[in-house]
Amino acid sequence: MSPKNTNDRAQLPDGLRTETLAVRSALPPSQHGENSEALFLTSTFVQPDAATSAQRFAQSEDFTYSRTSNPTVRSLEARLAAMEGTEAAIATSSGMSAILLLCMGLLKAGDHVVCSRSVFGSTINLFAKEFGKFGVETSFVSQTDLQEWRDAIRPTTRLFFAETPTNPLTEVCDIQALADIAHGAGALLVVDNTYSSPVLQQPAKMGADVIMHSATKYMDGQGRVMAGALCGPSALIKDVFGPVMRTAGMVLAPFNAWVVLKGLETLSLRMKAQSEQALAVARWLETRPEVARVYYPSLPSHPQHELAMRQQSGQGGAVLSFELKGDTPEAARAAAFHVIDSTRVLSIATNLGDTKSIITHPATTSHGRLSEAQRQAAGIGQGLIRLSVGLEHVDDIIDDLLRGLSTLNH
Ligand SMILES: *Cc1c(COP(=O)(O)O)cnc(C)c1O
């Protein structure tokens, strides 16, 4: 009897759960049988002969050149697709380049996009400014008012773009309802799932056509690399986005793919632990006299609490925001700066989903380019603080916030 090939065991059984897929989905191992996914740091691949080379270049399936595909990146794509419950996935150099790939693949001059006005700031700029230059028009509508989405539809509408929950106010939209409206208009629904990750919510199961990720956030989870992805049906990923990627080259570096592969293996544990810690911090903040309001989906005071809990597997994620009291914008800003500057453990930075807790002042960072009137309309006050809760002991996070809060005049 010939010795068994390790690859005979590489085919996983059907019906595995997200936690298992996050650890086990990948390409089959190499001939060495490595248990952990290998890092293929190579830009090109040697071909056995000219005829095979010609065939591989024609098909773009086997490995030829790392702008076309790379085994480490392919393993990450397999894992992401398995976790999102889509047929395929394509990895990109960042979250923003995933949106660039999306739009280069699906839109042309004259097309129209409907987008929530509460999505990530750079996403708004990309649609409004950069794609605008190429004749793609975008209408920005309410995150929560479905009628605004319906009213924005034109004969040229190709895409709906949504993100849920949003940054920093954690507004939630109804994915299934948006999918129905988009499909009724012959458009596709794209969901930026960065904030929930497939552990909390799988938008494809609620009718979304393409799922976009910034893997820089929870998926890496330890703030080390930039990465992004699109997940969806093969007809889009392989036939529409694949050719654009091969030409335009917004590819993910193999090393970054390897880091994210490793991050995904602990994603479900981290999401659960960070959601629990964030809820404890949010509940505590609600008891503080210096705090006017706390925004966090798991709090019953959240306006879309029930929808959020139904859509997000009962978890709120790591990100919460809170508004400090202040009679004037100047007083509120001074209070926010005092609380931020009094921390000794939290990082003053703009990232999220990291194991290190991060504190941010949205009005002067992510939303700093807006006018005060635009900020007011968006609900981003000068007293607003955003927190991405990490894995330090929750009491140390609370004590760190208390340093500033307890010395505020309120
Ligand atoms: C960070 C982020 C992006 C952009 O991703 P990058 O990896 O920074 O390019 C897009 N959407 C959301 C929700 C994000 O948080």
Side-chain angles (χ1 to χ4, degrees):
M1 213 173 91
S2 63
K4 276 193 169 174
N5 185 328
T6 337
N7 285 357
D8 293 346
R9 288 175 48 84
Q11 186 72 34
L12 293 170
D14 290 337
L16 296 177
R17 291 143 186 95
T18 310
E19 292 82 352
T20 311
L21 295 170
V23 176
R24 292 284 172 183
S25 304
L27 292 192
S30 75
Q31 73 274 25
H32 306 301
E34 66 277 3
N35 189 39
S36 303
E37 290 69 38
L39 171 50
F40 289 91
L41 271 186
T42 181
S43 46
T44 195
F45 299 84
V46 178
Q47 307 302 318
D49 53 61
T52 313
S53 171
Q55 190 194 358
R56 287 182 181 170
F57 270 85
Q59 289 180 347
S60 311
E61 267 305 315
D62 289 309
F63 300 108
T64 52
Y65 186 63
S66 282
R67 171 152 42 74
T68 304
S69 66
N70 172 285
T72 311
V73 177
R74 191 80 69 78
S75 273
L76 174 64
E77 292 168 342
R79 189 167 289 179
L80 289 175
M83 292 177 72
E84 281 291 0
T86 56
E87 284 174 359
I90 189 163
T92 56
S93 56
S94 68
M96 294 318 299
S97 64
I99 306 178
L100 178 62
L101 175 61
L102 171 88
C103 294
M104 284 183 73
L106 293 177
L107 302 177
K108 60 180 188 322
D111 285 347
H112 175 244
V113 176
V114 186
C115 182
S116 161
R117 76 170 67 89
S118 308
V119 297
F120 190 66
S122 299
T123 307
I124 292 186
N125 282 337
L126 191 57
F127 277 114
K129 286 201 200 135
E130 309 304 337
F131 297 147
K133 288 192 295 206
F134 297 95
V136 170
E137 265 193 78
T138 302
S139 304
F140 294 96
V141 297
S142 155
Q143 170 80 357
T144 50
D145 183 350
L146 295 173
Q147 194 55 42
E148 282 196 29
W149 293 77
R150 279 189 208 100
D151 291 345
I153 291 168
R154 303 179 191 169
T156 50
T157 304
R158 298 280 171 265
L159 286 187
F160 273 30
F161 192 99
E163 175 188 317
T164 179
T166 59
N167 166 41
L169 298 179
T170 71
E171 291 174 277
V172 175
C173 66
D174 187 332
I175 297 173
Q176 182 70 62
L178 284 182
D180 292 345
I181 298 169
H183 297 159
L188 299 179
L189 173 65
V190 182
V191 173
D192 178 341
N193 202 26
T194 301
Y195 266 66
S196 297
S197 91
V199 171
L200 265 54
Q201 110 193 334
Q202 293 163 319
K205 292 200 177 131
M206 300 172 230
D209 302 284
V210 180
I211 295 63
M212 175 250 142
H213 277 287
S214 167
T216 313
K217 313 294 167 55
Y218 291 101
M219 289 191 173
D220 170 346
Q222 296 179 54
R224 300 228 152 71
V225 300
M226 308 286 303
L230 297 174
C231 307
S234 293
L236 287 179
I237 301 293
K238 296 208 188 307
D239 302 341
V240 176
F241 302 132
V244 178
M245 166 72 85
R246 289 195 282 281
T247 317
M250 56 289 266
V251 285
L252 182 60
F255 178 77
N256 292 6
W258 181 82
V259 171
V260 176
L261 269 169
K262 200 158 134 45
L264 286 175
E265 298 186 11
T266 53
L267 180 65
S268 63
L269 289 176
R270 287 185 283 106
M271 291 301 302
K272 187 161 180 286
Q274 287 174 251
S275 293
E276 277 170 15
Q277 305 233 91
L279 178 56
V281 174
R283 283 194 177 127
W284 172 77
L285 283 168
E286 274 199 324
T287 69
R288 293 299 307 182
E290 306 85 356
V291 174
R293 186 164 169 197
V294 183
Y295 300 87
Y296 187 62
S298 299
L299 291 174
S301 59
H302 189 282
Q304 295 105 28
H305 172 66
E306 275 169 33
L307 169 64
M309 293 300 93
R310 178 157 37 89
Q311 201 162 261
Q312 297 170 208
S313 313
Q315 293 180 55
V319 178
L320 63 92
S321 292
F322 58 101
E323 181 80 45
L324 294 172
K325 291 178 183 164
D327 294 335
T328 60
E330 292 72 29
R333 182 200 281 213
F337 277 24
H338 175 73
V339 170
I340 292 169
D341 290 342
S342 301
T343 58
R344 310 248 315 271
V345 178
L346 308 184
S347 307
I348 306 174
T350 49
N351 192 19
L352 62 102
D354 198 311
T355 48
K356 293 183 171 68
S357 295
I358 292 176
I359 191 164
T360 316
H361 186 244
T364 52
T365 57
S366 56
H367 296 70
R369 279 178 287 179
L370 303 182
S371 68
E372 188 60 31
Q374 284 174 313
R375 264 195 299 273
Q376 301 257 335
I380 315 288
Q382 291 290 340
L384 189 75
I385 293 177
R386 189 194 82 181
L387 203 62
S388 169
V389 178
L391 289 178
E392 302 93 345
H393 194 289
V394 68
D395 292 343
D396 288 332
I397 298 170
I398 287 175
D399 288 348
D400 215 32
L401 292 170
L402 194 55
R403 275 182 244 283
L405 279 181
S406 64
T407 51
L408 278 179
N409 303 317
H410 61 270

